[in-house]
């Protein structure tokens, strides 16, 4: 029995021992695994730590990068909104400013925006060079800065020779106009740049905010319209926008469109007005005067379209048409044996200044086969003087072909002896305005006599236009005027009605 018990205890002990060994073995395995896991964890931790360090370094770099980006964005924005020449805000900066101003305006607040445009700035650039032009713009910017910034006004350069000023510190229209006039006056003071001294003027379009517009686009359009009228009314002035300006401008654009179409449709016609030799009463020539055969308005006189055609450049094709028509008619008369009468054709400034002017004249002379000896051009003093050297050169080249020249509307412009002496013209045309009152007005009489004496002294032929009655003709004869033209002899007529004059 005891033996069994002992054996049982032995078995139990063996089992316990086996279990212990198994347990020990398992524990060892677990420990081994734990050790493995621990070192894996450590590895992971290390790589995570490294990654974290890397990320935080990247984060720092990123932050630096962001800062640099925002700095350069600021720089770019500043450049995009600033004019490089004057360091003033440019058009973009100006538009942003106006939009922001309008968003923040109080109900009773009023602003005035001035569009200041330098008159004839092109001439400064062309005669002295572009860097000189730049210096002039900087000087204008400096004057404006000094004058308007101290008043808390806003100033920007919104175009090549265009500045915008926003005024807000005025109690009423009168005070505002005084401020604008002060700007005009200050800009008119002599400029001394480098060796040169010169004067310039500006034309200003003014809009009131919010009356004349509540966004930058509308305000700009209206400011342009006002400025346009300041320019076309003689420059060196300011004009306030009002609705009628827009309407006038729209009508003008429509008229210019109609002129364009009328040129294509050949709706223009050349009339001719005889010119008389006062010593023989013979017809010695004609002046070509254009008319517009308008489908609704009938025959439209040139006073109603020449200036607009000139303004938009359509005078160039229109003038070419008149010259071609005139040369064709003259060629026909020459072929019929009328070789004495001169045909005078009016030139406009823009046509004469056009680069292709000489080529176009030569081409028309060649195409029509006309003898240029019977062709005369009428130019005005202001046209001739605008670029005297060019005028002299062009006139001389045409004179070599036999073309002659008359100075139209003489007495209304500079009438300076100095340039008259240099201009290769053959004839002076006394302006109609002097003839109108020559019989009643003593000073007009004296002017006519003086022009005739001047013409004689310079060996020029003199013709009086606008002669409407026999008394005027008698007066002209008594003061030895060479020629006359006017309703007394004939109004301008169609070619068909000319035969009677050609045969005289
Ligand atoms: P302008 O060159 O001074 O032409 C003379 C104008 O006086 C013409 O007017 C003519 O019809 C008018 N006239 C002539 N005699 C008398 C008169 O006794 N009494 C009155 N009351 N008027 C008289 P028109 O034809 O209406 O031309 C006006 C202006 O239009 C011209 O003035 C000229 O500057 C311009 N013009 C006419 N045709 C052309 C053209 O083909 N080209 C250019 N560039 N201008 C032209
Ligand atoms: Ca004329
Ligand atoms: Ca005239």
């Amino acid at each position: 029995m005891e033996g069994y018990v002992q054996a049982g205890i032995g078995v139990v002990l063996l089992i316990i021992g086996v279990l212990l060994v198994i347990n020990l073995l398992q524990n060892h395995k677990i420990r081994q695994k734990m050790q493995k896991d621990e070192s894996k964890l450590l590895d992971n931790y290390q790589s995570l730590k490294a990654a974290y360090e890397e990320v935080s370094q990247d984060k720092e770099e990123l932050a630096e990068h962001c800062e640099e980006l925002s700095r350069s964005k600021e720089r770019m924005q500043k450049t995009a909104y600033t004019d490089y020449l004057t360091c003033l805000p440019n058009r973009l900066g100006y538009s942003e400013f106006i939009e922001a101003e309008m968003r923040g305006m109080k109900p009773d607040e009023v602003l005035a925006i001035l569009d200041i445009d330098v008159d004839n700035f092109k001439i400064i650039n062309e005669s002295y060079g572009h860097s000189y032009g730049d210096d002039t713009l900087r000087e204008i910017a400096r004057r404006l800065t000094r004058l308007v910034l101290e008043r808390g006004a806003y100033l920007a350069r919104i175009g090549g020779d265009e500045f915008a000023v926003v005024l807000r510190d005025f109690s009423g229209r009168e005070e505002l106009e005084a401020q604008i006039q002060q700007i005009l006056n200050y800009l008119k003071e002599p400029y001394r740049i480098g060796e040169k001294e010169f004067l310039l003027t500006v034309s200003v379009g003014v809009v009131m905010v919010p009356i004349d517009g509540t966004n930058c686009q509308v305000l700009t359009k209206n400011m342009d319209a006002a400025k346009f009228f300041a320019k076309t009314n003689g420059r060196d002035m300011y004009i306030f926008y009002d609705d009628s300006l827009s309407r006038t401008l729209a009508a003008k654009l429509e008229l210019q469109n109609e002129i364009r179409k009328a040129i294509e449709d050949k709706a223009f016609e050349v009339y001719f007005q005889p010119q008389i030799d006062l010593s023989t009463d013979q017809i010695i020539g004609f002046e070509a005067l254009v008319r517009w055969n308008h489908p609704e308005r009938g025959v439209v006189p040139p006073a109603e379209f020449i200036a607009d055609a000139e303004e938009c450049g359509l005078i160039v094709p229109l003038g070419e048409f008149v010259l071609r028509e005139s040369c064709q008619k003259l060629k026909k008369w020459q072929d019929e044996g009328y070789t004495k009468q001169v045909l005078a054709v009016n030139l406009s400034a823009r046509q004469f200044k056009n680069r292709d002017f000489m080529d176009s004249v030569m081409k028309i002379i060649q195409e029509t086969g006309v003898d240029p000896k019977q062709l005369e051009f009428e130019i005005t003093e202001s046209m001739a003087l605008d670029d005297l050297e060019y005028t002299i050169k062009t006139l001389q080249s045409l004179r070599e072909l036999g073309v002659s020249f008359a100075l139209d509307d003489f007495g209304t412009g500079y009438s300076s002896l100095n340039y008259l002496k240099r201009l290769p013209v053959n004839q002076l045309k006394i302006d109609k305005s002097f003839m109108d009152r020559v019989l009643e007005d003593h000073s007009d009489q004296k002017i006519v006599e003086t022009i005739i004496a001047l013409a004689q002294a310079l060996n020029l032929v003199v013709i009086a236009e606008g002669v409407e009655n026999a008394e005027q003709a008698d007066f002209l004869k008594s003061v030895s005027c060479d020629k006359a033209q006017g309703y007394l002899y004939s109004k301008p007529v169609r070619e068909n009605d000319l035969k009677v004059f050609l045969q005289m």
Side-chain angles (χ1 to χ4, degrees):
M1 189 61 189
E2 201 177 317
Y4 280 121
V5 171
Q6 274 178 348
I9 290 170
V11 169
V12 168
L13 281 174
L14 190 70
I15 290 170
I16 289 172
V18 168
L19 282 172
L20 265 171
V21 168
I22 289 174
N23 197 3
L24 267 173
L25 276 173
Q26 265 179 346
N27 275 350
H28 180 71
K29 232 178 171 178
I30 286 171
R31 210 175 303 128
Q32 256 185 341
K33 193 170 173 275
M34 269 176 68
Q35 266 171 359
K36 237 191 212 164
D37 282 355
E38 200 178 308
S39 85
K40 228 191 224 168
L41 250 168
L42 204 74
D43 273 358
N44 275 351
Y45 166 75
Q46 232 118 37
S47 57
L48 254 172
K49 199 174 147 206
Y52 173 76
E53 268 166 20
E54 216 170 284
V55 164
S56 47
Q57 203 178 332
D58 279 359
K59 207 175 125 196
E60 249 168 58
E61 270 171 29
L62 205 73
E64 241 170 67
H65 205 68
C66 277
E67 236 167 78
E68 175 57 32
L69 254 170
S70 88
R71 271 199 301 271
S72 63
K73 192 174 148 205
E74 223 170 83
R75 270 200 305 273
M76 265 169 64
Q77 234 165 17
K78 216 168 164 193
T79 319
Y81 291 111
T82 308
D83 165 47
Y84 70 98
L85 193 74
T86 58
C87 296
L88 292 173
N90 60 14
R91 189 174 270 279
L92 200 62
Y94 159 80
S95 319
E96 294 264 315
F97 172 82
I98 294 295
E99 296 291 354
E101 262 319 91
M102 261 169 322
R103 280 193 298 272
M105 258 174 104
K106 294 184 200 86
D108 57 344
E109 210 177 339
V110 178
L111 296 179
I113 313 180
L114 280 56
D115 181 344
I116 302 176
D117 193 301
V118 184
D119 296 330
N120 299 317
F121 185 68
K122 209 175 76 187
I123 296 177
I124 295 178
N125 263 342
E126 278 170 7
S127 20
Y128 300 146
H130 283 260
S131 87
Y132 199 84
D134 286 353
D135 288 343
T136 309
L137 289 170
R138 271 192 220 105
E139 170 60 16
I140 294 170
R142 200 186 57 75
R143 289 188 191 191
L144 284 172
T145 307
R146 199 197 289 169
L147 198 65
V148 307
L149 287 192
E150 68 189 27
R151 285 214 189 98
Y154 174 87
L155 171 65
R157 180 178 172 222
I158 55 169
D161 56 353
E162 232 179 299
F163 294 85
V165 168
V166 182
L167 298 172
R168 60 171 93 240
D169 190 18
F170 50 88
S171 56
R173 175 79 167 233
E174 209 174 302
E175 196 184 325
L176 173 62
E177 290 200 32
Q179 287 186 16
I180 299 173
Q181 193 55 56
Q182 196 188 8
I183 294 175
L184 257 75
N185 291 346
Y186 189 33
L187 292 179
K188 250 198 283 193
E189 282 177 18
Y191 289 74
R192 267 175 224 95
I193 293 174
E195 304 277 278
K196 299 187 173 65
E197 190 171 325
F198 60 96
L199 296 169
L200 56 79
T201 59
V202 295
S203 299
V204 182
V206 188
V207 286
M208 302 302 293
V209 189
I211 313 143
D212 298 330
T214 47
N215 68 55
C216 200
Q217 215 180 345
V218 172
L219 288 169
T220 304
K221 185 176 88 46
N222 293 343
M223 207 155 66
D224 273 349
K227 189 181 71 181
F228 175 83
F229 282 94
K231 289 267 180 206
T232 48
N233 279 333
R235 304 189 170 100
D236 187 19
M237 66 174 81
Y238 61 87
I239 286 191
F240 278 74
Y241 173 79
D242 77 66
D243 285 345
S244 68
L245 290 188
S246 266
R247 282 196 297 277
T248 316
L249 203 59
K252 193 184 263 294
L253 289 177
E254 201 183 302
L255 175 66
Q256 290 176 350
N257 240 345
E258 265 195 276
I259 297 174
R260 181 172 294 117
K261 227 180 127 273
I263 296 174
E264 284 168 18
D265 297 348
K266 308 215 171 337
F268 289 101
E269 186 179 348
V270 182
Y271 280 48
F272 302 91
Q273 187 178 33
Q275 297 178 333
I276 309 296
D277 182 332
L278 282 169
S279 60
T280 62
D281 279 341
Q282 295 256 307
I283 291 183
I284 34 82
F286 301 92
E287 178 176 3
L289 293 156
V290 69
R291 304 284 182 264
W292 180 359
N293 294 320
H294 196 283
E296 284 125 38
R297 291 160 61 197
V299 180
V300 182
E304 288 175 37
F305 60 85
I306 288 286
D308 284 281
E310 170 103 34
E311 200 179 283
C312 65
L314 284 171
I315 193 72
V316 175
L318 179 58
E320 237 170 67
F321 163 80
V322 173
L323 182 59
R324 181 168 284 112
E325 282 284 304
S326 303
C327 286
Q328 274 165 359
K329 301 282 147 68
L330 181 58
K331 166 71 179 156
K332 209 172 100 196
W333 303 338
Q334 287 173 342
D335 289 349
E336 287 168 5
Y338 302 107
T339 51
K340 298 264 179 327
Q341 290 88 349
V342 165
L343 182 58
V345 178
N346 290 284
L347 292 182
S348 87
R350 192 133 174 200
Q351 189 187 359
F352 183 62
K353 289 282 143 65
N354 192 280
R355 245 184 304 130
D356 301 328
F357 173 68
M358 273 300 283
D359 288 348
S360 145
V361 174
M362 302 294 276
K363 196 165 151 240
I364 291 170
I365 290 176
Q366 256 170 14
E367 271 174 20
T368 55
V370 76
D371 180 353
K373 285 191 185 62
Q374 276 168 272
L375 187 62
E376 185 172 80
F377 282 131
E378 294 194 1
I379 59 168
T380 62
E381 293 172 86
S382 57
M383 253 167 85
L385 280 187
D386 193 21
D387 183 348
L388 192 59
E389 298 314 316
Y390 167 81
T391 305
I392 292 173
K393 219 175 80 202
T394 311
L395 265 50
Q396 263 159 356
S397 322
L398 284 166
R399 264 172 75 129
E400 278 166 25
L401 299 175
V403 178
S404 57
F405 288 90
L407 215 45
D408 207 355
D409 307 337
F410 193 76
T412 59
Y414 308 86
S415 314
S416 137
L417 276 176
N418 222 359
Y419 79 82
L420 204 53
K421 218 172 51 189
R422 297 187 55 202
L423 271 183
V425 295
N426 317 64
Q427 181 163 273
L428 297 185
K429 277 192 102 167
I430 302 175
D431 191 62
K432 179 178 169 303
S433 60
F434 300 115
M435 289 313 297
D436 287 343
R437 280 167 298 124
V438 77
L439 298 176
E440 306 95 56
D441 190 320
H442 184 69
S443 55
D444 279 354
Q445 225 174 69
K446 282 285 157 221
I447 290 171
V448 171
E449 285 177 32
T450 308
I451 295 174
I452 293 169
L454 178 67
Q456 283 166 351
L458 292 168
N459 236 341
L460 300 172
V461 175
V462 62
I463 176 166
E465 64 181 351
V467 181
E468 291 183 342
N469 55 56
E471 290 74 29
Q472 287 171 327
D474 287 341
F475 165 75
L476 288 170
K477 283 179 188 169
S478 77
V479 289
S480 308
C481 183
D482 301 303
K483 301 183 192 172
Q485 174 184 344
Y487 291 177
L488 171 65
Y489 310 102
S490 166
K491 285 193 169 183
V493 293
R494 288 201 151 97
E495 195 224 349
N496 285 345
D497 303 321
L498 264 188
K499 269 270 164 325
V500 55
F501 295 111
L502 281 164
Q503 279 152 4
M504 274 169 86

